[in-house]
Each structure stands twice: as structure tokens, then as C-alpha cells.
Coordinates of all heavy atoms in Angstrom, one line a residue:
M1309 N -20.9 -11.0 19.6 CA -19.6 -10.6 19.3 C -19.6 -9.5 18.2 O -20.3 -9.7 17.2 CB -18.7 -11.8 18.7 CG -18.3 -12.7 19.8 SD -16.8 -13.5 19.1 CE -16.1 -14.2 20.6
S1310 N -18.8 -8.5 18.3 CA -18.8 -7.4 17.3 C -17.5 -7.5 16.5 O -16.6 -8.2 16.8 CB -18.9 -6.1 18.0 OG -17.7 -5.8 18.7
D1311 N -17.5 -6.7 15.4 CA -16.3 -6.7 14.6 C -15.1 -6.1 15.3 O -14.0 -6.4 15.0 CB -16.6 -5.9 13.3 CG -17.5 -6.7 12.4 OD1 -17.6 -7.9 12.5 OD2 -18.1 -6.0 11.5
N1312 N -15.4 -5.2 16.3 CA -14.3 -4.5 17.0 C -13.9 -5.2 18.2 O -13.4 -4.6 19.2 CB -14.7 -3.1 17.3 CG -14.8 -2.3 16.0 OD1 -14.2 -2.6 15.0 ND2 -15.5 -1.2 16.1
E1313 N -14.1 -6.6 18.3 CA -13.8 -7.3 19.5 C -12.3 -7.2 19.9 O -12.0 -7.3 21.0 CB -14.1 -8.8 19.2 CG -14.1 -9.7 20.5 CD -15.3 -9.3 21.4 OE1 -16.3 -8.8 21.0 OE2 -15.1 -9.7 22.6
G1314 N -11.4 -7.0 18.9 CA -10.0 -7.0 19.2 C -9.5 -5.7 19.8 O -8.3 -5.5 19.9
G1315 N -10.4 -4.8 20.2 CA -9.9 -3.6 20.9 C -10.3 -2.3 20.2 O -9.8 -1.2 20.7
G1316 N -11.1 -2.3 19.2 CA -11.5 -1.0 18.6 C -10.5 -0.5 17.6 O -9.8 -1.2 16.9
R1317 N -10.4 0.9 17.6 CA -9.5 1.6 16.7 C -8.1 1.3 17.0 O -7.7 1.3 18.1 CB -9.8 3.1 16.8 CG -9.0 3.8 15.8 CD -9.1 5.3 16.0 NE -8.4 6.0 14.9 CZ -7.1 6.0 14.8 NH1 -6.3 5.4 15.6 NH2 -6.5 6.7 13.8
R1318 N -7.3 1.0 15.9 CA -5.9 0.7 16.1 C -5.1 1.9 15.5 O -5.6 2.6 14.6 CB -5.5 -0.5 15.3 CG -6.2 -1.8 15.9 CD -6.0 -3.0 15.1 NE -4.6 -3.1 14.6 CZ -4.2 -4.1 13.8 NH1 -5.1 -4.9 13.3 NH2 -3.0 -4.1 13.4
N1319 N -4.0 2.2 16.1 CA -3.1 3.2 15.5 C -2.4 2.6 14.3 O -1.6 1.6 14.5 CB -2.1 3.7 16.6 CG -2.7 4.7 17.5 OD1 -3.7 5.3 17.2 ND2 -2.2 4.7 18.7
L1320 N -2.6 3.1 13.2 CA -2.1 2.6 11.9 C -0.9 3.5 11.5 O -0.8 4.6 11.8 CB -3.1 2.5 10.8 CG -4.4 1.7 11.2 CD1 -5.4 1.8 10.1 CD2 -4.0 0.3 11.4
R1321 N 0.0 2.8 10.7 CA 1.1 3.6 10.1 C 0.5 4.5 9.1 O -0.2 4.1 8.2 CB 2.0 2.6 9.5 CG 3.3 3.2 8.9 CD 4.2 2.1 8.2 NE 5.5 2.6 7.8 CZ 5.7 3.4 6.8 NH1 4.7 4.0 6.2 NH2 7.0 3.7 6.5
M1322 N 0.9 5.8 9.2 CA 0.4 6.8 8.2 C 1.6 7.2 7.3 O 2.7 7.0 7.7 CB -0.1 8.0 9.0 CG -1.4 7.8 9.6 SD -2.6 7.3 8.4 CE -4.1 7.2 9.4
P1323 N 1.2 7.8 6.1 CA 2.3 8.1 5.2 C 3.2 9.2 5.7 O 2.8 10.1 6.3 CB 1.6 8.5 3.9 CG 0.1 8.6 4.3 CD -0.1 8.0 5.6
D1324 N 4.5 9.0 5.4 CA 5.5 10.1 5.6 C 5.3 11.1 4.5 O 4.4 11.0 3.7 CB 6.9 9.5 5.6 CG 7.2 8.6 6.8 OD1 6.5 8.7 7.8 OD2 8.0 7.7 6.6
D1325 N 6.2 12.2 4.5 CA 6.1 13.2 3.6 C 6.2 12.8 2.1 O 5.5 13.3 1.3 CB 7.1 14.3 3.8 CG 6.9 15.0 5.2 OD1 5.8 15.0 5.6 OD2 7.9 15.5 5.7
D1326 N 7.0 11.8 1.9 CA 7.2 11.3 0.5 C 6.4 10.1 0.1 O 6.6 9.5 -0.9 CB 8.7 11.1 0.3 CG 9.2 10.0 1.2 OD1 8.6 9.7 2.2 OD2 10.3 9.4 0.9
E1327 N 5.4 9.7 1.0 CA 4.6 8.5 0.7 C 3.2 8.8 0.4 O 2.7 9.8 0.9 CB 4.7 7.5 1.9 CG 6.1 7.0 2.2 CD 6.1 6.1 3.4 OE1 5.3 6.4 4.4 OE2 6.9 5.2 3.5
V1328 N 2.5 8.0 -0.4 CA 1.1 8.1 -0.6 C 0.4 6.8 -0.5 O 1.0 5.7 -0.7 CB 0.8 8.7 -2.0 CG1 1.3 10.2 -2.1 CG2 1.4 7.9 -3.1
F1329 N -0.9 6.8 -0.2 CA -1.7 5.6 -0.2 C -1.9 5.2 -1.7 O -2.0 6.0 -2.6 CB -3.1 5.8 0.4 CG -3.1 6.0 1.9 CD1 -3.4 7.3 2.4 CD2 -2.7 5.0 2.7 CE1 -3.4 7.4 3.8 CE2 -2.7 5.2 4.1 CZ -3.0 6.4 4.7
A1330 N -2.0 3.8 -1.9 CA -2.2 3.3 -3.2 C -3.0 2.0 -3.1 O -2.9 1.3 -2.1 CB -0.9 3.1 -4.0
T1331 N -3.7 1.6 -4.2 CA -4.4 0.4 -4.3 C -3.8 -0.4 -5.4 O -3.6 0.1 -6.5 CB -5.9 0.6 -4.5 OG1 -6.4 1.4 -3.5 CG2 -6.6 -0.7 -4.5
V1332 N -3.5 -1.7 -5.2 CA -2.9 -2.5 -6.2 C -4.0 -2.9 -7.2 O -5.0 -3.4 -6.9 CB -2.3 -3.8 -5.6 CG1 -1.8 -4.8 -6.6 CG2 -1.2 -3.5 -4.5
T1333 N -3.7 -2.6 -8.5 CA -4.7 -2.8 -9.5 C -4.3 -4.0 -10.4 O -5.2 -4.6 -11.0 CB -4.9 -1.6 -10.4 OG1 -3.6 -1.3 -11.0 CG2 -5.4 -0.4 -9.6
N1334 N -3.0 -4.3 -10.5 CA -2.6 -5.4 -11.4 C -1.3 -6.0 -11.0 O -0.4 -5.2 -10.5 CB -2.4 -4.8 -12.8 CG -2.5 -5.8 -13.9 OD1 -2.6 -7.0 -13.6 ND2 -2.5 -5.4 -15.1
M1335 N -1.1 -7.3 -11.0 CA 0.1 -7.9 -10.7 C 0.9 -8.1 -12.1 O 0.4 -8.7 -13.0 CB -0.1 -9.3 -10.1 CG -1.0 -9.3 -8.9 SD -0.3 -8.3 -7.5 CE 1.1 -9.3 -7.0
L1336 N 2.1 -7.6 -12.1 CA 2.9 -7.6 -13.4 C 3.9 -8.7 -13.4 O 4.4 -9.1 -14.5 CB 3.6 -6.3 -13.6 CG 2.7 -5.0 -13.6 CD1 3.5 -3.8 -13.8 CD2 1.7 -5.2 -14.8
G1337 N 4.3 -9.3 -12.3 CA 5.3 -10.3 -12.2 C 6.7 -9.6 -12.1 O 6.8 -8.4 -12.1
A1338 N 7.7 -10.4 -11.8 CA 9.1 -9.9 -11.6 C 9.1 -8.9 -10.5 O 9.8 -7.9 -10.6 CB 9.7 -9.3 -12.9
N1339 N 8.3 -9.2 -9.4 CA 8.3 -8.3 -8.2 C 7.8 -6.9 -8.5 O 8.2 -5.9 -7.9 CB 9.6 -8.2 -7.5 CG 10.1 -9.6 -7.1 OD1 9.3 -10.4 -6.6 ND2 11.4 -9.9 -7.4
R1340 N 6.9 -6.8 -9.5 CA 6.3 -5.5 -9.8 C 4.8 -5.6 -9.9 O 4.2 -6.6 -10.2 CB 6.9 -5.0 -11.2 CG 8.3 -4.6 -11.1 CD 8.8 -4.1 -12.5 NE 10.0 -3.3 -12.4 CZ 11.1 -3.7 -11.8 NH1 11.2 -4.8 -11.1 NH2 12.2 -3.0 -11.8
V1341 N 4.2 -4.5 -9.5 CA 2.7 -4.4 -9.5 C 2.3 -3.0 -10.0 O 3.1 -2.1 -10.0 CB 2.1 -4.5 -8.0 CG1 2.4 -5.9 -7.5 CG2 2.6 -3.5 -7.1
R1342 N 1.1 -2.9 -10.5 CA 0.5 -1.7 -11.0 C -0.3 -1.1 -9.8 O -1.2 -1.9 -9.3 CB -0.3 -1.9 -12.2 CG -0.6 -0.7 -13.0 CD 0.5 -0.4 -13.9 NE 0.2 0.8 -14.6 CZ 1.0 1.8 -14.8 NH1 2.3 1.7 -14.4 NH2 0.7 2.9 -15.5
V1343 N -0.2 0.1 -9.5 CA -0.9 0.7 -8.4 C -1.6 2.0 -8.8 O -1.1 2.7 -9.7 CB -0.1 1.0 -7.1 CG1 0.5 -0.3 -6.5 CG2 1.1 2.0 -7.5
R1344 N -2.8 2.3 -8.3 CA -3.5 3.6 -8.5 C -3.3 4.3 -7.2 O -3.8 3.9 -6.1 CB -4.9 3.4 -8.8 CG -5.6 4.7 -8.9 CD -7.1 4.6 -9.5 NE -7.0 4.1 -10.8 CZ -7.5 2.9 -11.2 NH1 -8.0 2.1 -10.3 NH2 -7.5 2.6 -12.5
C1345 N -2.6 5.4 -7.2 CA -2.2 6.2 -6.0 C -3.3 7.2 -5.7 O -4.2 7.6 -6.5 CB -0.9 7.0 -6.2 SG 0.5 5.9 -6.5
A1346 N -3.3 7.6 -4.4 CA -4.4 8.6 -3.9 C -4.2 9.9 -4.6 O -5.2 10.7 -4.7 CB -4.2 8.7 -2.4
D1347 N -3.1 10.2 -5.2 CA -2.9 11.5 -5.9 C -3.4 11.4 -7.3 O -3.2 12.3 -8.1 CB -1.5 12.0 -5.8 CG -0.5 11.0 -6.4 OD1 -0.9 10.0 -7.0 OD2 0.7 11.3 -6.2
G1348 N -4.0 10.3 -7.7 CA -4.6 10.1 -9.0 C -3.7 9.6 -10.1 O -4.1 9.5 -11.3
V1349 N -2.4 9.3 -9.8 CA -1.5 8.8 -10.8 C -1.4 7.3 -10.7 O -1.4 6.7 -9.6 CB -0.1 9.4 -10.5 CG1 1.0 8.9 -11.5 CG2 -0.2 10.9 -10.4
E1350 N -1.3 6.6 -11.9 CA -1.1 5.2 -12.0 C 0.4 5.0 -12.1 O 1.1 5.6 -12.9 CB -1.7 4.6 -13.2 CG -3.2 4.4 -13.1 CD -3.6 2.9 -13.1 OE1 -2.8 2.1 -13.4 OE2 -4.8 2.7 -12.7
R1351 N 1.0 4.1 -11.2 CA 2.4 3.9 -11.2 C 2.7 2.4 -11.2 O 1.9 1.6 -10.8 CB 3.0 4.5 -9.9 CG 3.0 6.0 -9.8 CD 3.7 6.5 -8.6 NE 3.8 8.0 -8.6 CZ 3.0 8.8 -8.0 NH1 1.9 8.3 -7.4 NH2 3.2 10.1 -8.1
T1352 N 3.9 2.1 -11.7 CA 4.5 0.8 -11.6 C 5.3 0.8 -10.3 O 6.2 1.6 -10.2 CB 5.4 0.5 -12.8 OG1 4.6 0.6 -14.0 CG2 5.9 -1.0 -12.7
A1353 N 4.9 -0.1 -9.4 CA 5.6 -0.1 -8.1 C 6.4 -1.4 -8.0 O 5.9 -2.5 -8.5 CB 4.6 0.0 -6.9
R1354 N 7.5 -1.4 -7.3 CA 8.3 -2.6 -7.1 C 8.2 -3.0 -5.7 O 8.1 -2.2 -4.8 CB 9.7 -2.4 -7.7 CG 10.7 -2.0 -6.9 CD 12.0 -1.7 -7.6 NE 12.6 -0.8 -6.6 CZ 13.8 -0.4 -6.6 NH1 14.7 -0.9 -7.4 NH2 14.3 0.4 -5.6
I1355 N 8.2 -4.4 -5.5 CA 8.2 -4.9 -4.1 C 9.6 -5.1 -3.7 O 10.4 -5.9 -4.4 CB 7.5 -6.3 -4.1 CG1 6.0 -6.1 -4.7 CG2 7.4 -6.9 -2.7 CD1 5.3 -7.4 -5.0
P1356 N 10.1 -4.4 -2.7 CA 11.5 -4.5 -2.3 C 11.9 -5.9 -1.8 O 11.0 -6.6 -1.3 CB 11.6 -3.4 -1.2 CG 10.3 -3.2 -0.7 CD 9.3 -3.5 -1.8
G1357 N 13.1 -6.2 -1.9 CA 13.6 -7.5 -1.5 C 13.3 -7.9 0.0 O 13.0 -9.1 0.2
K1358 N 13.3 -6.9 0.9 CA 13.0 -7.3 2.3 C 11.5 -7.7 2.5 O 11.2 -8.3 3.5 CB 13.3 -6.1 3.2 CG 12.5 -4.9 3.0 CD 12.9 -3.8 4.0 CE 12.0 -2.6 3.8 NZ 12.3 -1.5 4.8
M1359 N 10.6 -7.4 1.5 CA 9.2 -7.7 1.6 C 8.9 -9.0 0.8 O 7.9 -9.7 1.1 CB 8.3 -6.6 1.1 CG 8.3 -5.4 2.0 SD 7.3 -4.1 1.3 CE 5.6 -4.7 1.8
Q1360 N 9.7 -9.4 -0.1 CA 9.5 -10.5 -0.9 C 9.4 -11.8 -0.1 O 10.3 -12.0 0.8 CB 10.5 -10.7 -2.0 CG 10.5 -9.6 -3.1 CD 11.7 -9.7 -4.0 OE1 12.4 -10.7 -4.0 NE2 12.0 -8.6 -4.7
K1361 N 8.4 -12.6 -0.3 CA 8.2 -13.9 0.4 C 8.0 -13.7 1.9 O 7.8 -14.7 2.6 CB 9.4 -14.8 0.1 CG 9.6 -15.2 -1.3 CD 10.5 -16.4 -1.5 CE 10.5 -16.9 -2.9 NZ 10.8 -16.0 -3.9
R1362 N 7.9 -12.5 2.4 CA 7.5 -12.3 3.7 C 6.1 -11.6 3.8 O 5.4 -11.9 4.7 CB 8.5 -11.4 4.4 CG 9.9 -12.0 4.6 CD 10.9 -11.1 5.2 NE 12.2 -11.7 5.3 CZ 13.1 -11.7 4.3 NH1 12.8 -11.2 3.2 NH2 14.3 -12.3 4.5
V1363 N 5.9 -10.7 2.9 CA 4.6 -10.0 2.8 C 4.0 -10.3 1.5 O 4.6 -9.9 0.5 CB 4.8 -8.5 3.0 CG1 3.5 -7.7 2.9 CG2 5.5 -8.2 4.3
W1364 N 2.9 -11.0 1.5 CA 2.2 -11.3 0.2 C 1.3 -10.2 -0.2 O 0.4 -9.8 0.5 CB 1.5 -12.6 0.3 CG 2.5 -13.8 0.5 CD1 2.7 -14.4 1.7 CD2 3.3 -14.3 -0.5 NE1 3.7 -15.4 1.5 CE2 4.1 -15.3 0.1 CE3 3.5 -14.1 -1.8 CZ2 5.0 -16.1 -0.5 CZ3 4.5 -14.9 -2.5 CH2 5.2 -15.8 -1.9
I1365 N 1.5 -9.7 -1.4 CA 0.7 -8.6 -1.9 C -0.2 -9.1 -3.1 O 0.3 -9.8 -4.0 CB 1.6 -7.5 -2.4 CG1 2.4 -6.9 -1.2 CG2 0.8 -6.4 -3.1 CD1 3.4 -5.8 -1.5
R1366 N -1.5 -8.8 -3.0 CA -2.4 -9.2 -4.0 C -3.2 -8.0 -4.5 O -3.1 -7.0 -4.0 CB -3.4 -10.2 -3.4 CG -2.7 -11.5 -2.9 CD -3.7 -12.5 -2.3 NE -4.1 -12.2 -0.9 CZ -3.4 -12.2 0.2 NH1 -2.1 -12.4 0.1 NH2 -3.8 -11.9 1.4
E1367 N -3.9 -8.3 -5.6 CA -4.8 -7.2 -6.2 C -5.7 -6.7 -5.2 O -6.2 -7.5 -4.3 CB -5.5 -7.7 -7.5 CG -4.6 -7.9 -8.6 CD -5.3 -8.2 -9.9 OE1 -6.5 -7.9 -10.0 OE2 -4.7 -8.7 -10.8
D1368 N -6.1 -5.4 -5.2 CA -7.0 -4.7 -4.3 C -6.4 -4.5 -2.9 O -7.1 -4.0 -2.1 CB -8.3 -5.4 -4.2 CG -9.0 -5.5 -5.6 OD1 -8.9 -4.5 -6.3 OD2 -9.7 -6.5 -5.9
D1369 N -5.2 -4.9 -2.7 CA -4.6 -4.6 -1.4 C -4.3 -3.1 -1.3 O -4.0 -2.4 -2.3 CB -3.2 -5.3 -1.2 CG -3.4 -6.7 -0.7 OD1 -4.6 -7.1 -0.3 OD2 -2.4 -7.5 -0.6
V1370 N -4.4 -2.5 -0.1 CA -4.0 -1.1 0.1 C -2.6 -1.1 0.6 O -2.2 -1.8 1.5 CB -5.0 -0.4 1.1 CG1 -4.5 1.0 1.5 CG2 -6.4 -0.4 0.6
V1371 N -1.7 -0.3 0.0 CA -0.3 -0.2 0.3 C 0.1 1.3 0.4 O -0.6 2.2 0.0 CB 0.5 -0.9 -0.8 CG1 0.3 -2.4 -0.8 CG2 0.3 -0.3 -2.2
L1372 N 1.3 1.5 1.0 CA 1.9 2.8 1.0 C 3.0 2.7 0.0 O 3.8 1.7 -0.1 CB 2.5 3.1 2.3 CG 1.7 3.7 3.4 CD1 2.5 4.0 4.7 CD2 1.0 5.0 2.9
V1373 N 3.1 3.7 -0.9 CA 4.2 3.7 -1.9 C 5.0 5.0 -1.8 O 4.5 6.0 -1.3 CB 3.7 3.5 -3.3 CG1 3.0 2.2 -3.5 CG2 2.8 4.6 -3.7
S1374 N 6.3 4.9 -2.1 CA 7.1 6.1 -2.1 C 7.5 6.3 -3.6 O 8.4 5.6 -4.1 CB 8.4 5.8 -1.3 OG 9.3 6.8 -1.3
P1375 N 6.9 7.3 -4.2 CA 7.2 7.6 -5.6 C 8.7 8.0 -5.8 O 9.3 8.7 -4.9 CB 6.3 8.8 -6.0 CG 5.2 8.8 -5.0 CD 5.8 8.2 -3.8
W1376 N 9.3 7.6 -6.9 CA 10.7 8.0 -7.2 C 10.7 9.5 -7.5 O 9.9 10.0 -8.3 CB 11.2 7.2 -8.4 CG 11.3 5.7 -8.1 CD1 11.0 5.0 -6.9 CD2 11.8 4.7 -9.0 NE1 11.3 3.7 -7.1 CE2 11.7 3.5 -8.3 CE3 12.2 4.7 -10.3 CZ2 12.1 2.3 -8.9 CZ3 12.6 3.5 -10.9 CH2 12.6 2.3 -10.2
D1377 N 11.8 10.1 -7.1 CA 12.0 11.5 -7.3 C 12.3 11.8 -8.8 O 11.9 12.8 -9.4 CB 13.2 12.1 -6.5 CG 12.9 12.0 -5.0 OD1 11.7 12.1 -4.7 OD2 13.9 12.0 -4.3
W1378 N 13.1 10.9 -9.4 CA 13.5 11.1 -10.8 C 12.6 10.5 -11.8 O 12.9 10.7 -13.0 CB 15.0 10.5 -10.9 CG 15.0 9.0 -10.7 CD1 15.0 8.0 -11.6 CD2 15.1 8.4 -9.4 NE1 15.0 6.8 -11.0 CE2 15.1 7.0 -9.6 CE3 15.2 8.8 -8.1 CZ2 15.2 6.0 -8.6 CZ3 15.3 7.9 -7.1 CH2 15.3 6.5 -7.4
Q1379 N 11.7 9.7 -11.5 CA 10.7 9.0 -12.4 C 9.4 8.9 -11.7 O 9.1 8.0 -11.0 CB 11.3 7.7 -12.8 CG 11.4 7.4 -14.3 CD 12.0 6.1 -14.6 OE1 12.7 5.5 -13.8 NE2 11.7 5.6 -15.8
D1380 N 8.5 9.9 -12.0 CA 7.3 9.9 -11.2 C 6.3 8.8 -11.5 O 5.4 8.5 -10.7 CB 6.6 11.3 -11.5 CG 5.5 11.5 -10.4 OD1 5.7 11.4 -9.2 OD2 4.3 11.9 -10.8
E1381 N 6.5 8.1 -12.6 CA 5.5 7.0 -12.9 C 6.0 5.7 -12.3 O 5.3 4.6 -12.5 CB 5.4 6.8 -14.4 CG 6.6 6.3 -15.2 CD 7.6 7.3 -15.6 OE1 7.4 8.5 -15.2 OE2 8.6 7.0 -16.2
K1382 N 7.0 5.7 -11.4 CA 7.5 4.5 -10.7 C 7.5 4.8 -9.2 O 7.7 5.9 -8.8 CB 8.8 4.0 -11.2 CG 8.7 3.6 -12.7 CD 9.9 2.8 -13.1 CE 9.7 2.4 -14.6 NZ 10.9 1.8 -15.1
A1383 N 7.5 3.7 -8.4 CA 7.5 3.8 -7.0 C 8.0 2.6 -6.3 O 8.0 1.5 -7.0 CB 6.1 4.2 -6.5
D1384 N 8.3 2.7 -5.1 CA 8.6 1.5 -4.2 C 7.5 1.3 -3.2 O 7.0 2.3 -2.6 CB 9.9 1.7 -3.5 CG 11.1 1.7 -4.4 OD1 11.1 0.9 -5.3 OD2 12.1 2.4 -4.1
I1385 N 7.1 0.0 -3.0 CA 6.1 -0.2 -1.9 C 6.9 -0.2 -0.6 O 7.9 -0.9 -0.4 CB 5.4 -1.6 -2.2 CG1 4.6 -1.5 -3.4 CG2 4.6 -2.0 -1.0 CD1 3.9 -2.8 -3.8
T1386 N 6.3 0.5 0.4 CA 7.0 0.5 1.7 C 6.2 -0.2 2.8 O 6.7 -0.5 3.8 CB 7.2 2.0 2.1 OG1 6.0 2.7 2.1 CG2 8.2 2.7 1.2
W1387 N 4.9 -0.4 2.6 CA 4.0 -1.0 3.6 C 2.8 -1.6 3.0 O 2.2 -1.0 2.0 CB 3.6 0.1 4.6 CG 2.9 -0.4 5.8 CD1 1.6 -0.4 6.1 CD2 3.5 -1.0 7.0 NE1 1.3 -0.9 7.3 CE2 2.5 -1.3 7.9 CE3 4.8 -1.2 7.4 CZ2 2.7 -1.8 9.2 CZ3 5.1 -1.8 8.6 CH2 4.0 -2.1 9.5
R1388 N 2.3 -2.7 3.5 CA 1.0 -3.2 3.1 C 0.1 -3.3 4.3 O 0.5 -3.7 5.4 CB 1.1 -4.6 2.5 CG -0.2 -5.2 2.1 CD -0.2 -6.6 1.6 NE 0.2 -7.6 2.6 CZ -0.6 -8.3 3.4 NH1 -1.9 -8.0 3.3 NH2 -0.2 -9.1 4.3
Y1389 N -1.2 -2.8 4.1 CA -2.2 -2.9 5.2 C -3.0 -4.2 5.2 O -3.3 -4.6 4.1 CB -3.1 -1.7 5.1 CG -2.5 -0.4 5.4 CD1 -2.0 0.5 4.3 CD2 -2.3 0.1 6.7 CE1 -1.4 1.7 4.6 CE2 -1.7 1.3 7.0 CZ -1.3 2.1 5.9 OH -0.7 3.3 6.2
E1390 N -3.2 -4.7 6.3 CA -4.2 -5.9 6.4 C -5.6 -5.4 6.0 O -5.8 -4.2 6.1 CB -4.2 -6.4 7.9 CG -2.9 -6.8 8.4 CD -2.4 -8.1 7.8 OE1 -3.2 -8.9 7.3 OE2 -1.2 -8.3 7.6
K1391 N -6.4 -6.3 5.7 CA -7.8 -6.0 5.3 C -8.5 -5.1 6.3 O -9.1 -4.1 5.9 CB -8.6 -7.2 4.9 CG -10.0 -6.9 4.4 CD -10.8 -8.1 4.1 CE -12.1 -7.9 3.5 NZ -12.8 -6.7 3.9
Q1392 N -8.5 -5.5 7.6 CA -9.2 -4.7 8.6 C -8.6 -3.3 8.8 O -9.3 -2.4 9.0 CB -9.2 -5.5 9.9 CG -7.9 -5.6 10.6 CD -7.9 -6.6 11.8 OE1 -8.8 -7.5 11.8 NE2 -7.0 -6.4 12.7
D1393 N -7.3 -3.2 8.6 CA -6.7 -1.9 8.7 C -7.1 -1.0 7.5 O -7.4 0.2 7.6 CB -5.2 -2.0 8.7 CG -4.7 -2.7 9.9 OD1 -5.4 -2.8 10.9 OD2 -3.5 -3.2 9.9
A1394 N -7.2 -1.6 6.3 CA -7.6 -0.9 5.1 C -9.1 -0.4 5.3 O -9.4 0.7 4.9 CB -7.5 -1.7 3.9
D1395 N -9.9 -1.3 5.9 CA -11.3 -0.9 6.1 C -11.4 0.3 7.1 O -12.2 1.2 6.9 CB -12.1 -2.1 6.7 CG -12.3 -3.2 5.7 OD1 -12.2 -2.9 4.5 OD2 -12.6 -4.3 6.1
Q1396 N -10.5 0.3 8.1 CA -10.5 1.4 9.1 C -10.1 2.7 8.4 O -10.6 3.7 8.6 CB -9.5 1.0 10.2 CG -9.4 2.2 11.2 CD -8.4 1.8 12.4 OE1 -8.4 0.7 12.8 NE2 -7.7 2.8 12.8
L1397 N -9.1 2.6 7.5 CA -8.7 3.8 6.7 C -9.8 4.4 5.9 O -9.9 5.6 5.8 CB -7.4 3.5 5.9 CG -6.1 3.2 6.6 CD1 -5.1 2.7 5.6 CD2 -5.6 4.5 7.2
R1398 N -10.6 3.5 5.3 CA -11.7 3.9 4.5 C -12.8 4.6 5.4 O -13.3 5.6 5.0 CB -12.3 2.7 3.7 CG -11.5 2.3 2.6 CD -12.2 1.2 1.7 NE -11.3 0.7 0.7 CZ -10.6 -0.4 0.8 NH1 -10.7 -1.1 1.9 NH2 -9.8 -0.7 -0.2
E1399 N -13.1 4.0 6.5 CA -14.1 4.5 7.4 C -13.6 5.9 7.9 O -14.5 6.8 8.1 CB -14.2 3.6 8.6 CG -15.0 2.4 8.4 CD -15.0 1.4 9.5 OE1 -14.6 1.8 10.6 OE2 -15.3 0.2 9.3
E1400 N -12.4 6.1 8.2 CA -11.9 7.4 8.6 C -11.7 8.4 7.5 O -11.3 9.6 7.8 CB -10.6 7.2 9.4 CG -10.8 6.4 10.7 CD -9.5 6.1 11.4 OE1 -8.4 6.5 10.9 OE2 -9.5 5.4 12.5
G1401 N -11.9 8.0 6.3 CA -11.8 8.9 5.2 C -10.4 9.2 4.6 O -10.2 10.2 3.8
H1402 N -9.4 8.4 5.0 CA -8.1 8.6 4.4 C -7.9 8.1 3.0 O -7.2 8.7 2.2 CB -7.0 7.9 5.3 CG -7.0 8.4 6.7 ND1 -6.5 9.6 7.0 CD2 -7.3 7.8 7.9 CE1 -6.6 9.8 8.3 NE2 -7.1 8.7 8.9
I1403 N -8.7 7.1 2.6 CA -8.7 6.6 1.3 C -10.1 6.3 0.8 O -11.0 6.2 1.6 CB -7.9 5.3 1.1 CG1 -8.4 4.2 2.1 CG2 -6.4 5.5 1.4 CD1 -7.8 2.9 2.0
Q1404 N -10.3 6.3 -0.5 CA -11.6 6.0 -1.1 C -11.9 4.5 -1.2 O -11.1 3.8 -1.5 CB -11.8 6.6 -2.5 CG -11.7 8.1 -2.6 CD -10.3 8.6 -2.6 OE1 -9.5 8.4 -1.6 NE2 -9.8 9.3 -3.6

């Protein structure tokens, strides 16, 4: 059995124009996390209500964030990738 038994490459959700890849570096509590974005900026990101208690986010998870227009050091999390999806993104060179 190989690792790609489930069908090989999957089509993953890619960032929209206002989204960037990020890695969770620290859990802050109160539905907030610290993320290091692909554009090199550390931001405080918030977990929106529709994701709370439905999508569990932990340190080192790869997520998509949407930086705030009016406050660049803050962002909203819009998507969390499963571990195998994050590995695929790394293999394809989208994230480090």
C-alpha cells in the first residue's frame, strides 16, 4: 500500500486575491491564534464563529488567512488544511 492509495493528487482550495497561506505558531486563547504568513508577516488571526467547535485548529496547522484591510497585523482564518493536504502543498512548492 502506498501513501497515495486514496486517489493521488487532490484539488485543494487555493487562496483568493485577498488570502495568504499561513502556519499557526501559537495558540492565544479567546478564539485567537498567532500565525506566520507566507508574505513574511506575523499576524494575530481570529477563528470565526462558524469554525469554532467545528474545525479544530492546533499549532503547526496550515491555514488560509484573510488579512484585514485596515489593520495589517490582524487577519481572519478562512480555511484549515488537513495534514495530508498541507504535505501536498509543500511538495508542490506553494508553502515552505
Side-chain angles (χ1 to χ4, degrees):
M1309 284 202 163
S1310 69
D1311 289 338
N1312 291 338
E1313 192 70 21
R1317 186 189 184 287
R1318 296 175 40 189
N1319 282 332
L1320 302 177
R1321 184 182 187 294
M1322 287 302 182
D1324 294 333
D1325 293 338
D1326 60 339
E1327 295 176 327
V1328 293
F1329 290 114
T1331 304
V1332 177
T1333 58
N1334 201 357
M1335 304 298 291
L1336 302 176
N1339 303 317
R1340 287 183 164 50
V1341 295
R1342 196 85 181 136
V1343 295
R1344 177 171 294 112
C1345 298
D1347 58 8
V1349 180
E1350 284 249 345
R1351 292 184 171 95
T1352 301
R1354 93 188 154 160
I1355 303 169
K1358 67 180 182 178
M1359 290 179 79
Q1360 292 170 17
K1361 297 197 170 53
R1362 291 176 185 84
V1363 178
W1364 292 103
I1365 295 176
R1366 295 179 283 294
E1367 287 187 22
D1368 298 325
D1369 278 352
V1370 175
V1371 295
L1372 277 181
V1373 297
S1374 176
W1376 292 2
D1377 295 335
W1378 61 94
Q1379 232 177 336
D1380 194 48
E1381 70 275 2
K1382 295 195 177 173
D1384 288 325
I1385 294 178
T1386 56
W1387 188 262
R1388 179 183 66 90
Y1389 290 98
E1390 300 291 330
K1391 183 182 182 325
Q1392 66 189 28
D1393 297 342
D1395 292 342
Q1396 178 180 323
L1397 289 169
R1398 286 188 186 96
E1399 286 171 14
E1400 294 175 0
H1402 297 294
I1403 56 176
Q1404 294 82 298

